[in-house]
Amino acid sequence: MKKALVVGVVLAGLVVSGTAMAFKGEQFSKEAKVSLEQAKATALKTFPGQIEDVELEKEAGGSGLRYSFDIRNGKVVHEVGVDAITGKVLENSVDDGKD
């Protein structure tokens, strides 16, 4: 019983910390129609791996507001851009680290 309680508390902490994640550009989140969690799911479906960086930015292309994820899979890092208004994938490219 104690183990189940501990596991439940740990899992609850992970859920809370996952949704409360601070990210660059968070001030634009009120303009987004797609939530961070929805955009993350789309990005990870596009390129599975570990998210290393998240940014919500105003950038040309699509609606002009996008989530940008740096996702690592092994030695490869992709930048996946998800439109924060439509949820469409705008970018899926190898991140060369130059920007």
Side-chain angles (χ1 to χ4, degrees), residues 1-22:
M1 185 68 171
K2 282 186 176 181
K3 286 183 183 178
L5 181 59
V6 170
V7 169
V9 170
V10 169
L11 289 175
L14 290 174
V15 169
V16 169
S17 66
T19 58
M21 178 180 173

Side-chain angles (χ1 to χ4, degrees), residues 22-84:
F23 56 96
K24 291 178 246 164
E26 193 171 10
Q27 70 270 21
F28 301 125
S29 60
K30 290 182 182 178
E31 298 174 43
K33 302 245 187 280
V34 175
S35 72
L36 174 60
E37 293 304 316
Q38 291 168 318
K40 272 188 199 179
T42 298
L44 289 170
K45 186 176 179 183
T46 302
F47 186 75
Q50 178 69 36
I51 294 175
E52 294 188 330
D53 190 45
V54 180
E55 184 174 1
L56 180 57
E57 57 192 348
K58 292 195 174 194
E59 190 170 304
S63 70
L65 184 64
R66 77 165 60 190
Y67 291 99
S68 180
F69 298 91
D70 289 343
I71 303 173
R72 177 176 297 280
N73 188 325
K75 293 183 179 182
V76 178
V77 177
H78 269 223
E79 182 173 349
V80 178
V82 178
D83 193 295

